[in-house]
């Protein structure tokens, strides 16, 4: 069980894809779990209650329709990589076998995230960043990590 966390634009998705391929693991992107732009805390809770515990899966979020779109099962008998801001919390940390926190300079993160997601994310950047700051202040995921990666 790999928990890979960090703010937007730190390279979580890229590293998670490489790790999942190397480990033959299932990959859970919290971008598929967040219930909209205000859903970081809810997704962090879902990691513990649903993804890593029974029922072992999560409801997928349809960003275009702004509603849930079915259930994605996770096989608890196979390796899993969970990536996204909110993956590593005080509640999820004991469930992980490897806990990773990723960091990058703010200007680098902005360029990467907006380059990837464009104007939609640019409009929501401040709203999302406020949730990231609140989550980090409450959970201190970097202190829970086995490894801190600077990108």
């Amino acid at each position: 069980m790999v928990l890979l966390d960090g703010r937007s634009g730190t390279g979580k998705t890229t590293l998670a894809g490489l790790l999942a391929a190397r480990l033959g693991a299932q990959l859970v992107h919290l971008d598929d779990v967040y219930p909209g732009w205000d859903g970081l805390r809810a997704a962090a809770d879902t990691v513990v209650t649903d993804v890593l515990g029974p029922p072992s899966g999560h409801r997928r979020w349809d960003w275009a329709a702004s509603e849930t779109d079915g259930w994605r099962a996770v096989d608890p008998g196979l390796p899993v990589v969970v990536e996204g801001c909110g993956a590593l919390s005080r509640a999820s940390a004991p469930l992980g076998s490897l806990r990773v926190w990723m960091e990058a300079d703010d200007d680098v993160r902005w360029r990467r995230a907006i380059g990837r997601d464009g104007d939609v994310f640019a409009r929501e950047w401040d709203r999302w960043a406020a949730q990231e700051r609140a989550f980090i202040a409450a959970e201190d995921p970097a202190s829970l990590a086995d490894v801190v990666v600077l990108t």
Side-chain angles (χ1 to χ4, degrees):
M1 177 63 58
V2 178
L3 303 173
L4 205 155
D5 204 329
R7 297 188 72 186
S8 293
T10 56
K12 298 178 303 298
T13 302
T14 301
L15 180 56
L18 294 169
L19 284 171
R22 181 75 168 199
L23 298 171
Q26 302 161 95
L27 181 53
V28 175
H29 298 284
L30 289 190
D31 283 350
D32 294 335
V33 179
Y34 303 124
W37 287 108
D38 296 311
L40 193 154
R41 177 82 255 175
D45 294 342
T46 296
V47 168
V48 175
T49 61
D50 293 354
V51 175
L52 303 182
S56 299
H58 64 86
R59 295 194 189 290
R60 288 187 49 91
W61 184 255
D62 181 333
W63 287 90
S66 291
E67 62 186 28
T68 57
D69 181 26
W71 178 261
R72 178 177 178 239
V74 174
D75 185 338
L78 298 175
V80 179
V81 174
V82 179
E83 72 84 16
C85 191
L88 181 53
S89 66
R90 294 178 199 280
S92 68
L95 305 172
S97 52
L98 176 63
R99 295 159 290 274
V100 180
W101 175 256
M102 297 186 70
E103 294 184 0
D105 291 333
D106 288 345
D107 60 331
V108 172
R109 293 186 318 98
W110 167 265
R111 282 195 313 272
R112 288 176 181 163
I114 302 311
R116 177 191 65 220
D117 297 327
D119 290 339
V120 172
F121 194 17
R123 288 190 299 270
E124 302 294 345
W125 179 265
D126 291 335
R127 180 180 179 182
W128 188 255
Q131 289 177 84
E132 289 176 329
R133 286 190 301 273
F135 179 80
I136 292 165
E139 299 292 337
D140 193 14
S143 74
L144 303 170
D146 300 305
V147 179
V148 175
V149 178
L150 305 175
T151 65

